[in-house]
Amino acid sequence: MQDFKKLPTVLTAEELIDKIFRRAGKVEGRNPKERAINKLSTISNVSKDYLRKIVEAHPSYDSLPDFYREMVDVVVGIRNLKKALAALKWADGMIQKIVSKSIRDVKSGKNPASVLRSTYGRVASVIEQIDEELRFLNDAKNRMREIPVLLDLPTLVVAGYPNVGKSSLVARISTVKPEVASYPFTTKKVNLGFAEIGGKRVQIIDTPGLLDRPLSKRNAIERRAVLCLKHLADAVIFVIDPTETCGYPVERQIALLEEIRTYFHLPVLEVYSKADMHDRRDKPAYSAITGEGIDAVLEEIEKMLKKIYSQTSTVMAPSGQTSTQEQHS
Ligand SMILES: Nc1nc2c(ncn2[C@@H]2O[C@H](COP(=O)(O)OP(=O)(O)OP(=O)(O)O)[C@@H](O)[C@H]2O)c(=O)[nH]1
Ligand SMILES: [Mg+2]
């Protein structure tokens, strides 16, 4: 799978021009003509290698699995990425043309120094024209680091209203230690953790909070959570904060739960958070602060996983390939 953390850093136009001409500046030759040709070849090679390395480091966005394609679209925008990569290809082509022509000119007897000077100017001008795209690609690389690389494991998605205690639960039951804070939308990105539940390795995804509102009104932070539910979840752990100290009434939280049930047709485990602050026990209740009820929640998760994997002999992996039950047992 594409690991977006491995995308290369991208130089600005000024830095790239500097890199190319510094390398060309070091090249020598036995006479002015040969030296000019060597320098021109270096300009061509360095710029070609650099621009192609950037372009080739990016996957073909249209053929990515749905989750990754839609996440890239939410995080940076695929159209903009494609436009930027096309601009780099354009610049590569232009530079190759300019330099080939210059090499022919030198070979046919034109003044090497003046050909070299005009080539430097034209190549620099082409690169300056893609400065915005180079900066965009560097920024995109930094932003795409947030996209997690999922494994082919049973996947639990922890969802609920903002500030209800999702991240606190995920921190308790998995390897990941997400940020916890007393305000909504603390979690802005998808956090991936792993756990062993009932002897099975599972991945647990902490998602940003969702409000009960139509998909078209959802912001980019919420859409990250929707994509996890849509593409990754084998089951959902839905966290309800009955104390309403999250700042949202229980009815709104339940309305969101119903919406998730309607849209995603997934097994859902409903749990109460903040058990240290209330006595409702008609659903599994846990406290991430005292640890009360955590084991009971884990047992419920185990039961739910057993049910899922006994009902189906094959399950759909997030990548769209089917994986057999044996792999999970
Ligand atoms: N008393 C008590 N407070 C809790 C518990 N779990 C979470 N909190 C508090 O509730 C607040 C929100 O917790 P988070 O885990 O960040 O909630 P979240 O659902 O991930 O929030 P967002 O990422 O903003 O959607 C924090 O102030 C936590 O300390 C709990 O079991 N008991
Ligand atoms: Mg959170």
Side-chain angles (χ1 to χ4, degrees):
M1 185 53 232
Q2 170 74 30
D3 186 349
F4 296 104
K5 290 176 187 66
K6 292 192 180 130
L7 287 173
T9 302
V10 184
L11 300 176
T12 63
E14 197 185 331
E15 290 163 344
L16 179 55
I17 291 167
D18 200 52
K19 175 188 168 93
I20 294 169
F21 293 161
R22 206 161 3 95
R23 289 275 299 278
K26 288 184 191 147
V27 173
E28 289 304 331
R30 283 170 302 185
N31 53 57
K33 188 170 167 177
E34 190 191 272
R35 210 176 73 211
I37 290 172
N38 290 346
K39 283 183 191 296
L40 289 165
S41 306
T42 302
I43 294 173
S44 156
N45 290 335
V46 176
S47 65
K48 178 171 70 192
D49 290 350
Y50 189 77
L51 294 170
R52 292 183 193 178
K53 180 188 84 183
I54 303 295
V55 171
E56 282 160 17
H58 284 262
S60 151
Y61 287 103
D62 291 331
S63 48
L64 282 182
D66 295 343
F67 170 73
Y68 294 99
R69 196 184 62 247
E70 291 185 35
M71 269 298 266
V72 171
D73 208 29
V74 166
V75 174
V76 290
I78 287 187
R79 274 182 64 186
N80 294 337
L81 263 176
K82 284 186 181 172
K83 267 172 63 186
L85 292 170
L88 265 61
K89 283 187 204 163
W90 168 84
D92 176 31
M94 285 300 286
I95 293 168
Q96 298 314 310
K97 258 194 223 156
I98 292 167
V99 173
S100 304
K101 165 89 170 38
S102 300
I103 291 176
R104 283 199 304 276
D105 287 349
V106 172
K107 282 184 177 164
S108 70
K110 285 205 178 148
N111 179 290
S114 78
V115 171
L116 207 51
R117 208 174 319 115
S118 81
T119 308
Y120 274 43
R122 293 174 68 195
V123 168
S125 141
V126 167
I127 296 172
E128 276 157 13
Q129 285 179 63
I130 59 163
D131 185 50
E132 202 180 308
E133 286 83 0
L134 291 167
R135 287 174 192 271
F136 171 83
L137 287 170
N138 196 53
D139 182 49
K141 161 219 161 264
N142 290 332
R143 284 195 276 159
M144 282 177 357
R145 293 179 64 85
E146 74 162 83
I147 301 174
V149 179
L150 278 297
L151 301 183
D152 186 13
L153 288 174
T155 306
L156 300 168
V157 172
V158 178
Y161 246 76
N163 213 21
V164 295
K166 299 177 299 300
S167 297
S168 303
L169 174 63
V170 173
R172 273 274 181 180
I173 64 174
S174 84
T175 51
V176 78
K177 297 290 166 253
E179 192 189 346
V180 166
S182 60
Y183 49 84
F185 291 113
T186 299
T187 303
K188 296 181 181 62
K189 298 166 185 175
V190 168
N191 296 308
L192 173 63
F194 298 92
E196 202 170 297
I197 300 178
K200 271 201 175 69
R201 215 164 120 73
V202 296
Q203 50 198 352
I204 301 182
I205 301 178
D206 175 34
T207 62
L210 283 165
L211 299 174
D212 166 34
R213 57 181 177 183
L215 187 58
S216 58
K217 295 254 161 57
R218 293 203 189 286
N219 61 34
I221 299 175
E222 290 177 273
R223 268 186 275 153
R224 288 164 165 82
V226 171
L227 291 182
C228 293
L229 291 165
K230 185 173 161 198
H231 297 299
L232 304 179
D234 292 311
V236 180
I237 303 172
F238 190 85
V239 179
I240 300 166
D241 172 5
T243 70
E244 301 184 348
T245 54
C246 59
Y248 304 98
V250 171
E251 304 87 77
R252 298 274 307 275
Q253 299 181 50
I254 299 295
L256 172 66
L257 170 64
E258 292 315 321
E259 198 186 322
I260 287 176
R261 284 193 185 282
T262 309
Y263 277 103
F264 300 111
H265 308 288
L266 289 163
V268 179
L269 175 65
E270 300 170 31
V271 297
Y272 286 141
S273 60
K274 310 185 186 175
D276 51 296
M277 292 170 70
H278 65 88
D279 297 319
R280 287 183 68 170
R281 296 295 182 268
D282 54 311
K283 301 180 198 300
Y286 71 90
S287 166
I289 301 215
T290 65
E292 174 199 342
I294 293 286
D295 286 343
V297 168
L298 287 170
E299 273 168 35
E300 292 300 322
I301 295 173
E302 189 181 337
K303 273 191 223 159
M304 179 168 67
L305 288 171
K306 276 202 180 121
K307 213 158 125 194
I308 297 170
Y309 291 103
S310 64
Q311 273 169 359
T312 53
S313 58
T314 59
V315 290
M316 290 300 287
S319 53
Q321 305 123 359
T322 49
S323 58
T324 62
Q325 189 192 0
E326 287 75 52
Q327 280 176 285
H328 294 306
S329 54

